[in-house]
Amino acid sequence: MMETLSTSVLSTHGLVARYGDFQALYGVDVTVNEGEAVALIGANGAGKSTFLRAIMGLLPVAPDMVRLGGQPIGGTPTDRMVQKGVAIVPEGRRLFSGMSVEDNLRVAVDQAERLGRKGGWSLSRLHQLFPILKEKARTPVQSLSGGQQQMVSIGRALLCQPKVLLCDEISLGLAPKVIREIYAALPEIRGQGTAVVLVEQDVGLAQSATDRLYCMLEGRVTLSGRSGEVTREQIGAAYFGGSHAVV
Amino acid sequence: MQWFDALVQGVLLGGMYAQYALGMALMFGVMRIVNVSHGDLVILLSLIGISLATSFGLGPFWVMAALVPLAVAMGWILQKVILNRVVGDDPLPSLIATFGLSLALQNLMLQIWSANSRSLPGGGIESRSVEVAGIYVGLLPVIVLVFATALTLCLDLMLKRTRFGRALRAAAADVEAAAMTGINPRAVYASATAIAVGILGFAAVFQSLRSTVAPADGGAQLVYAFEAVIIGGMGSVWGAFIGSMVLGISQAIGFRIDPGFGVLAGHLVFLLVLATRPQGLFGKS
Ligand SMILES: Nc1ncnc2c1ncn2[C@@H]1O[C@H](COP(=O)(O)OP(=O)(O)OP(=O)(O)O)[C@@H](O)[C@H]1O
Ligand SMILES: [Mg+2]
């Protein structure tokens, strides 16, 4: 298989996660190779956000269940995960309300400096990617449009200088034109050698923007394969039930 | 003239209240942690300062030099040992934990220092006065006001302009998102509480120079600090400063009307602000 030939930057191994008594993930195996874009699709409640949160150390998991560059790092505190090179654009954007666009982004610049993370992203580079962020630098983030807020959230994650960027439904609630604008930034992000995990509800968009995809259902992976090769029927079956298919 | 005098006295009194209120502005206004032991910490530091002064013959300046680092250490330990365990969106656990701490501190202070009132010998500065705009005012209250203004300025700049200040505001806005941006919220909160309690080191020296302190006095300081933060508006350091002034002026004018009405006048103005502008004078609605 393809992924055994290239080096994996991030991988999960039998990842389980629970909220109290409720088990949300039942042994998820996902591999992300260096510089690769991987989509994670699945219906509401499938466990996509839980999967990303578990990687980020926001849910208790065993060390061996998450590996970064081969090293077991499951359950590492979230701020240390950022230090190790994993950043997230969280579900719901989660900006620092009451602070300006610039201050939201500077928090990430500050911490990258503090944690000794170096990389290709700077405020000026980000302003080239999303020019509106320069124009709105002094604006409090809560008065931005949804698309602009999403750009701040992506920018904040990029300024953490990640090796792997986890994106949780960055197109949710946005107009098609804005979605295109945001997805147009992906090649530039990947051009830095950053691997990307995209959680996306829009299957067509997920397929066109990534190399490989995984489909989840009720806390399990039900389909994995090359984004350009999986068929509508396979996705349909994996999305709503049926047996695990590997393409 | 009598009312102008009351105004000046009120502003000077506000300077003292501001020194209690700044730490509260940081902990309650920014971090949303309710620290019921706030006033008891001022009293504890005051009593330690008085004991240092009497045992080692230290002057007020050296007492301050000893108390501020001690207060910083106490704040850091308070956050690490007690508050970091109960931090969350819900202010109730921190309220209960520090309420217990408040009772424990009061009993501890009674055991060590008894219920007697004491004060810090100031070597004469407490009785000196200076002429300001045609009226004589105490030198000590002027120094207190100058310190309060300087502390407010520093704290405000720290919050707005420094890496630590941005990290603290970010953690206060969304702890989880802050961690996702590389911030260690517990470390940031420990430092912030160390600063908040550290400011009480200054307050303790001035409080015990201006008047007497006794183990049960902490409640009043807690209430004044709380009222000043609410009057000024949550999350605004200058708001807490102005809130302290409003409280001090209300009390001084109330006192002119009737000596028994002073403290009550402050509470009434607090209630008035709460009823007409619940977000506070400087708060955003
Ligand atoms: N904080 C929580 N406490 C308890 N259960 C939770 C919590 N968060 C999520 N769940 C449950 O875990 C399961 C997976 O949720 P998750 O948010 O990971 O799904 P998702 O695939 O991201 O869905 P969506 O597309 O709606 O974002 C769901 O059944 C959900 O109800
Ligand atoms: Mg989700």
Side-chain angles (χ1 to χ4, degrees), chain A residues 19 22 24 43-50 91 169 201:
Chain A
Y19 298 99
F22 176 78
N44 288 332
K48 307 178 297 293
S49 298
T50 303
E91 190 168 35
E169 304 207 31
Q201 287 277 6

Side-chain angles (χ1 to χ4, degrees), chain B residues 16 19-20 38-50 60 63-64 67-68 70-71 74 118-120 144 151 197-213 221:
Chain B
M16 189 67 242
Q19 296 195 9
Y20 315 142
H38 192 80
D40 304 296
L41 289 169
V42 181
I43 303 299
L44 175 64
L45 287 161
S46 300
L47 291 171
I48 293 173
I50 292 166
V63 171
M64 190 181 282
L67 277 191
V68 172
L70 178 68
M74 277 165 51
R118 295 150 203 268
S119 67
L120 188 65
V144 170
L151 286 168
V197 178
I199 295 170
L200 296 184
F202 294 98
V205 172
F206 290 122
Q207 172 67 28
S208 50
L209 278 174
R210 270 181 75 119
S211 65
T212 60
V213 289
Q221 266 99 339

Side-chain angles (χ1 to χ4, degrees), chain A residues 56 78-89 96 104-123 126 152-165 194, chain B residues 177-183:
Chain A
M56 282 312 284
T78 308
D79 52 306
R80 302 270 314 283
M81 285 303 295
V82 176
Q83 181 170 29
K84 289 176 187 295
V86 187
I88 184 168
V89 183
F96 304 126
N104 265 266
L105 298 173
R106 283 194 67 179
V107 168
V109 174
D110 288 343
Q111 298 306 314
E113 252 171 45
R114 183 180 75 86
L115 298 169
R117 280 211 67 76
K118 295 189 175 59
W121 290 101
S122 63
L123 274 177
L126 192 66
V152 178
S153 191
I154 293 169
R156 187 178 63 179
L158 289 176
L159 290 168
C160 294
Q161 317 289 357
K163 283 191 282 199
V164 185
L165 181 69
T194 308
Chain B
M180 292 173 193
T181 316
I183 293 169

Side-chain angles (χ1 to χ4, degrees), chain B residues 29 58 72 128 133 153 185 209 212 236 238 249 261 270:
Chain B
L58 299 184
V72 167
R128 295 247 287 279
L153 191 69
L209 278 174
T212 60
S236 162
W238 281 108
I249 292 167
F261 182 58
F270 163 70

Side-chain angles (χ1 to χ4, degrees), chain A residues 53 94 103 110 113-114, chain B residues 163 166 169 174 176 182:
Chain A
R53 295 175 60 82
R94 305 286 290 268
D103 277 358
D110 288 343
E113 252 171 45
R114 183 180 75 86
Chain B
R163 177 195 284 179
R166 281 188 291 273
R169 284 187 292 144
D174 187 334
E176 216 172 72

